[in-house]
Amino acid sequence: MSGAYKFRLQKLLDIRQDFEDKSKLEFKEAQREKNMVEKELNSLKENYSAHRNIDAYESIIQQKIKQNYLNALNYSIDKNTIVLEDKGKILEQKREKLKLCQVEKKTVEILKEKQKISFLKEQNLIEQKSNDEFALFAFIRNNTRIHGNK
């Protein structure tokens, strides 16, 4: 064979691989942020559930403090719900970007594979032609020896 296969668009493939890797990191970071907000929201909801009952035997000041605390929790829950929705939207955007990067990279990889297969077929054909020529020369040489000796 005349040499190893060299893909002319290897730099493009490397660039697309880098884009995909960066996109994966961004996606993981967005997913981590969303999970943190979700965990915080669940914690706030648990706190709200644990303290939502205001007992009548408590003093008015304690009831008022508890009510203010519950209002603050409720406000935080509403705020975190909005943040969670935003993080969900960002995560979806990152997921779509990652899919696009994967498709773009896969397109170039498929092109590389097809060109490599074509290259190998061409190399095999060249090798087969050389082998056929060697066999033909050997046949002619052996045939002239046999017929030349008679």
Side-chain angles (χ1 to χ4, degrees):
M1 288 198 197
S2 68
Y5 172 69
K6 183 157 173 63
F7 185 52
R8 291 179 300 179
L9 298 175
Q10 187 62 44
K11 285 186 180 182
L12 176 65
L13 183 58
D14 293 342
I15 290 169
R16 294 226 171 133
Q17 179 66 48
D18 289 344
F19 282 156
E20 182 186 10
D21 292 344
K22 287 177 187 173
S23 183
K24 281 180 184 177
L25 289 176
E26 290 174 1
F27 176 75
K28 286 180 183 177
E29 179 62 23
Q31 197 169 30
R32 187 187 65 76
E33 288 177 10
K34 180 182 179 250
N35 289 342
M36 284 176 42
V37 170
E38 202 167 23
K39 186 176 178 181
E40 185 179 344
L41 181 62
N42 289 335
S43 174
L44 289 169
K45 285 180 179 179
E46 287 174 12
N47 276 344
Y48 187 84
S49 294
H51 297 95
R52 72 176 176 203
N53 295 329
I54 297 177
D55 296 326
Y57 66 86
E58 293 176 342
S59 72
I60 300 219
I61 294 173
Q62 287 176 324
Q63 289 178 8
K64 189 71 173 167
I65 291 171
K66 200 170 194 180
Q67 184 63 43
N68 286 341
Y69 176 69
L70 289 174
N71 288 342
L73 277 178
N74 206 18
Y75 174 77
S76 294
I77 289 171
D78 290 343
K79 184 178 167 187
N80 276 15
T81 302
I82 293 169
V83 170
L84 181 63
E85 289 173 4
D86 291 343
K87 296 290 182 187
K89 289 175 185 174
I90 291 170
L91 184 64
E92 275 307 306
Q93 291 171 351
K94 300 291 183 187
R95 179 178 283 121
E96 290 302 316
K97 182 180 176 188
L98 177 59
K99 281 184 195 177
L100 181 65
C101 289
Q102 287 174 333
V103 166
E104 288 175 347
K105 185 191 89 172
K106 191 68 177 170
T107 302
V108 178
E109 282 179 341
I110 290 170
L111 182 62
K112 179 180 180 179
E113 274 304 308
K114 286 182 179 181
Q115 287 182 3
K116 187 175 183 178
I117 290 168
S118 176
F119 174 80
L120 292 175
K121 282 181 182 178
E122 188 177 318
Q123 291 300 311
N124 287 339
L125 189 60
I126 291 169
E127 186 177 352
Q128 185 63 43
K129 283 182 180 179
S130 296
N131 290 343
D132 289 347
E133 285 180 17
F134 290 139
L136 181 61
F137 290 142
F139 175 76
I140 292 171
R141 187 179 62 231
N142 288 338
N143 214 8
T144 43
R145 275 192 210 155
I146 295 172
H147 290 299
N149 291 339
K150 287 187 181 178

